[in-house]
Coordinates of all heavy atoms in Angstrom, one line a residue:
M6 N -3.2 -4.2 8.0 CA -1.8 -4.5 7.9 C -1.0 -3.3 7.5 O 0.2 -3.2 7.9 CB -1.5 -5.6 6.7 CG -2.3 -7.0 7.0 SD -2.1 -7.6 8.6 CE -0.4 -7.8 8.8
S7 N -1.5 -2.4 6.7 CA -0.9 -1.2 6.3 C -1.0 0.0 7.2 O -0.2 0.9 7.3 CB -1.4 -0.8 4.9 OG -2.7 -0.3 5.0
G8 N -2.0 -0.1 8.1 CA -2.3 1.1 9.0 C -2.9 2.2 8.2 O -2.9 3.4 8.7
K9 N -3.3 2.0 7.0 CA -3.9 3.1 6.1 C -5.3 2.7 5.7 O -5.7 1.5 5.5 CB -3.0 3.2 4.9 CG -1.6 3.4 5.2 CD -1.1 4.8 4.8 CE 0.4 5.0 4.9 NZ 0.9 5.2 6.2
R10 N -6.2 3.7 5.4 CA -7.5 3.4 4.9 C -7.5 3.4 3.3 O -6.8 4.3 2.7 CB -8.5 4.5 5.4 CG -8.6 4.3 6.9 CD -9.6 5.2 7.5 NE -10.9 4.9 6.9 CZ -12.0 5.6 6.9 NH1 -11.9 6.8 7.6 NH2 -13.2 5.2 6.5
N11 N -8.3 2.5 2.8 CA -8.3 2.4 1.3 C -8.8 3.7 0.7 O -8.2 4.2 -0.3 CB -9.2 1.2 0.9 CG -9.2 0.9 -0.5 OD1 -8.2 1.1 -1.3 ND2 -10.4 0.6 -1.0
R12 N -9.9 4.3 1.1 CA -10.4 5.5 0.5 C -9.5 6.7 0.7 O -9.6 7.6 -0.1 CB -11.8 5.8 1.1 CG -12.8 4.8 0.9 CD -13.7 4.9 -0.3 NE -14.0 6.2 -0.8 CZ -15.2 6.7 -0.9 NH1 -16.2 6.1 -0.5 NH2 -15.3 7.9 -1.5
K13 N -8.7 6.8 1.7 CA -7.9 8.0 2.0 C -6.4 7.7 1.5 O -5.5 8.5 2.0 CB -8.1 8.5 3.3 CG -9.4 8.9 3.6 CD -9.6 9.5 5.0 CE -11.0 10.0 5.3 NZ -11.2 10.5 6.6
F14 N -6.1 6.6 1.0 CA -4.7 6.2 0.8 C -4.0 7.1 -0.3 O -4.6 7.5 -1.3 CB -4.6 4.7 0.3 CG -3.2 4.3 0.0 CD1 -2.4 4.0 1.1 CD2 -2.6 4.3 -1.2 CE1 -1.1 3.5 0.9 CE2 -1.3 3.9 -1.5 CZ -0.5 3.5 -0.4
H15 N -2.8 7.5 0.1 CA -2.0 8.3 -0.9 C -0.5 7.9 -0.8 O -0.1 7.7 0.3 CB -2.2 9.8 -0.5 CG -1.3 10.7 -1.4 ND1 -1.6 10.9 -2.7 CD2 -0.1 11.3 -1.1 CE1 -0.5 11.7 -3.1 NE2 0.3 12.0 -2.2
H16 N 0.1 7.8 -1.9 CA 1.5 7.5 -1.9 C 2.2 8.4 -2.8 O 1.7 8.8 -3.8 CB 1.7 6.1 -2.5 CG 3.1 5.5 -2.2 ND1 4.1 5.8 -3.0 CD2 3.5 4.6 -1.2 CE1 5.1 5.1 -2.6 NE2 4.8 4.5 -1.4
A17 N 3.4 8.9 -2.4 CA 4.2 9.9 -3.1 C 4.6 9.4 -4.5 O 4.8 10.3 -5.4 CB 5.3 10.3 -2.3
D18 N 4.8 8.2 -4.7 CA 5.4 7.7 -5.9 C 4.3 7.3 -7.0 O 4.7 7.0 -8.2 CB 6.2 6.4 -5.6 CG 7.4 6.7 -4.8 OD1 7.8 7.9 -4.8 OD2 8.0 5.8 -4.2
H19 N 3.0 7.3 -6.6 CA 2.0 6.9 -7.6 C 0.7 7.3 -7.1 O 0.5 7.8 -6.0 CB 2.0 5.4 -7.9 CG 1.8 4.5 -6.7 ND1 0.6 4.4 -6.0 CD2 2.7 3.8 -6.0 CE1 0.7 3.7 -5.0 NE2 2.0 3.3 -4.9
D20 N -0.3 7.1 -8.0 CA -1.7 7.5 -7.6 C -2.7 6.4 -7.5 O -3.8 6.4 -7.6 CB -2.3 8.5 -8.7 CG -1.5 9.8 -8.7 OD1 -1.2 10.3 -7.6 OD2 -1.4 10.4 -9.8
L21 N -2.1 5.2 -7.0 CA -3.0 4.0 -6.9 C -3.6 4.0 -5.5 O -3.2 4.7 -4.6 CB -2.0 2.7 -6.9 CG -1.3 2.4 -8.2 CD1 -0.3 1.3 -8.0 CD2 -2.3 2.0 -9.3
N22 N -4.7 3.4 -5.4 CA -5.4 3.2 -4.1 C -4.6 2.2 -3.3 O -3.7 1.5 -3.8 CB -6.9 2.9 -4.3 CG -7.2 1.5 -5.0 OD1 -6.2 0.8 -5.4 ND2 -8.3 1.3 -5.3
L23 N -5.1 1.9 -2.1 CA -4.5 0.9 -1.3 C -4.4 -0.5 -1.9 O -3.3 -1.1 -1.8 CB -5.1 0.9 0.1 CG -4.6 -0.2 1.1 CD1 -3.1 0.1 1.4 CD2 -5.4 -0.2 2.3
L24 N -5.5 -0.9 -2.5 CA -5.5 -2.2 -3.1 C -4.5 -2.3 -4.3 O -3.7 -3.3 -4.4 CB -6.9 -2.6 -3.7 CG -8.0 -2.5 -2.7 CD1 -9.3 -3.0 -3.4 CD2 -7.7 -3.4 -1.5
G25 N -4.4 -1.3 -5.1 CA -3.4 -1.2 -6.1 C -2.0 -1.2 -5.7 O -1.1 -1.9 -6.2
H26 N -1.8 -0.4 -4.6 CA -0.4 -0.4 -4.0 C 0.0 -1.7 -3.4 O 1.1 -2.2 -3.7 CB -0.5 0.7 -2.9 CG 0.8 0.9 -2.2 ND1 1.9 1.4 -2.8 CD2 1.1 0.7 -0.9 CE1 2.9 1.4 -1.9 NE2 2.4 1.0 -0.8
A27 N -1.0 -2.4 -2.7 CA -0.7 -3.6 -2.2 C -0.3 -4.7 -3.2 O 0.6 -5.5 -3.1 CB -1.8 -4.1 -1.2
W28 N -1.1 -4.6 -4.3 CA -1.0 -5.6 -5.4 C 0.4 -5.3 -6.1 O 1.1 -6.3 -6.4 CB -2.1 -5.4 -6.4 CG -1.9 -6.2 -7.6 CD1 -1.7 -5.8 -8.9 CD2 -1.9 -7.6 -7.8 NE1 -1.6 -6.8 -9.8 CE2 -1.8 -8.0 -9.1 CE3 -2.1 -8.6 -6.8 CZ2 -1.7 -9.3 -9.6 CZ3 -2.2 -9.9 -7.3 CH2 -1.9 -10.2 -8.6
G29 N 0.8 -4.1 -6.3 CA 2.0 -3.8 -6.9 C 3.2 -4.2 -6.1 O 4.2 -4.8 -6.6
L30 N 3.1 -4.1 -4.8 CA 4.2 -4.5 -3.9 C 4.3 -6.0 -3.9 O 5.4 -6.6 -3.9 CB 4.0 -4.0 -2.4 CG 4.1 -2.5 -2.2 CD1 3.7 -2.1 -0.8 CD2 5.6 -2.1 -2.5
W31 N 3.1 -6.7 -3.9 CA 3.0 -8.2 -3.9 C 3.7 -8.7 -5.2 O 4.6 -9.6 -5.1 CB 1.6 -8.6 -3.8 CG 1.6 -10.1 -3.9 CD1 1.3 -10.9 -4.9 CD2 1.7 -11.0 -2.8 NE1 1.2 -12.3 -4.5 CE2 1.6 -12.3 -3.1 CE3 2.1 -10.7 -1.4 CZ2 1.8 -13.4 -2.3 CZ3 2.2 -11.9 -0.6 CH2 2.0 -13.2 -1.0
I32 N 3.4 -8.1 -6.3 CA 4.0 -8.6 -7.6 C 5.5 -8.4 -7.7 O 6.2 -9.2 -8.2 CB 3.2 -7.8 -8.8 CG1 1.8 -8.2 -8.9 CG2 3.9 -8.0 -10.1 CD1 1.6 -9.7 -9.1
D33 N 5.9 -7.3 -7.1 CA 7.3 -6.9 -7.1 C 8.1 -7.7 -6.0 O 9.3 -7.5 -5.8 CB 7.5 -5.4 -6.9 CG 7.1 -4.7 -8.1 OD1 6.9 -5.2 -9.2 OD2 6.9 -3.4 -8.0
G34 N 7.4 -8.5 -5.2 CA 8.1 -9.2 -4.1 C 8.5 -8.3 -2.9 O 9.4 -8.7 -2.2
K35 N 7.7 -7.3 -2.8 CA 8.0 -6.3 -1.7 C 6.9 -6.1 -0.8 O 6.7 -5.0 -0.2 CB 8.4 -4.9 -2.4 CG 9.6 -4.9 -3.3 CD 9.8 -3.6 -3.9 CE 11.0 -3.5 -4.9 NZ 11.2 -2.3 -5.5
A36 N 6.1 -7.1 -0.6 CA 4.9 -7.0 0.2 C 5.2 -6.5 1.7 O 4.4 -5.9 2.3 CB 4.1 -8.3 0.3
S37 N 6.4 -6.8 2.1 CA 6.8 -6.3 3.5 C 6.8 -4.8 3.6 O 6.6 -4.3 4.7 CB 8.1 -6.9 3.9 OG 9.1 -6.4 3.1
E38 N 6.9 -4.1 2.5 CA 6.8 -2.7 2.5 C 5.5 -2.1 2.9 O 5.4 -0.9 3.2 CB 7.4 -2.1 1.1 CG 8.9 -2.3 1.0 CD 9.4 -1.8 -0.3 OE1 8.7 -0.9 -0.9 OE2 10.4 -2.2 -0.8
L39 N 4.4 -2.9 2.7 CA 3.1 -2.5 3.0 C 2.8 -2.3 4.5 O 1.9 -1.6 5.0 CB 2.1 -3.5 2.4 CG 0.6 -3.2 2.6 CD1 0.2 -2.0 1.7 CD2 -0.3 -4.4 2.2
I40 N 3.6 -3.1 5.3 CA 3.4 -3.2 6.8 C 3.4 -1.8 7.5 O 4.4 -1.1 7.2 CB 4.4 -4.2 7.4 CG1 4.2 -5.5 6.7 CG2 4.2 -4.3 8.9 CD1 5.3 -6.6 7.0
D41 N 2.5 -1.6 8.4 CA 2.4 -0.4 9.2 C 3.7 -0.4 10.1 O 4.0 -1.4 10.7 CB 1.2 -0.5 10.1 CG 1.0 0.7 11.0 OD1 2.0 1.6 11.1 OD2 -0.1 0.9 11.6
P42 N 4.4 0.6 10.0 CA 5.7 0.7 10.8 C 5.4 0.4 12.3 O 6.3 -0.1 13.0 CB 6.2 2.0 10.7 CG 5.7 2.5 9.3 CD 4.3 1.8 9.2
M43 N 4.2 0.7 12.9 CA 3.9 0.5 14.2 C 3.8 -1.1 14.5 O 3.9 -1.5 15.7 CB 2.5 1.1 14.6 CG 2.6 2.6 14.4 SD 3.5 3.5 15.6 CE 2.6 3.3 17.1
M44 N 3.6 -1.8 13.5 CA 3.5 -3.3 13.6 C 4.8 -4.1 13.6 O 5.0 -5.2 13.9 CB 2.6 -3.9 12.6 CG 1.2 -3.7 12.9 SD 0.0 -4.4 11.6 CE 0.5 -6.1 11.6

């Protein structure tokens, strides 16, 4: 869904892995931001 690998995930705003990032977006009601732009 994200187009990113869990082990190599990096985000400029935090140091969470992909699971943590997805969880944070879900809790904040922003899960659509996880989607790979190609999708």
Side-chain angles (χ1 to χ4, degrees):
M6 301 314 298
S7 68
K9 309 246 190 281
R10 294 190 60 195
N11 186 35
R12 298 267 329 243
K13 295 182 179 181
F14 181 79
H15 175 73
H16 194 277
D18 295 338
H19 57 71
D20 292 324
L21 296 171
N22 63 5
L23 178 62
L24 304 183
H26 179 65
W28 175 247
L30 290 173
W31 181 262
I32 292 300
D33 292 342
K35 300 177 183 178
S37 61
E38 292 180 21
L39 183 68
I40 301 167
D41 182 348
M43 300 291 287
M44 285 181 54

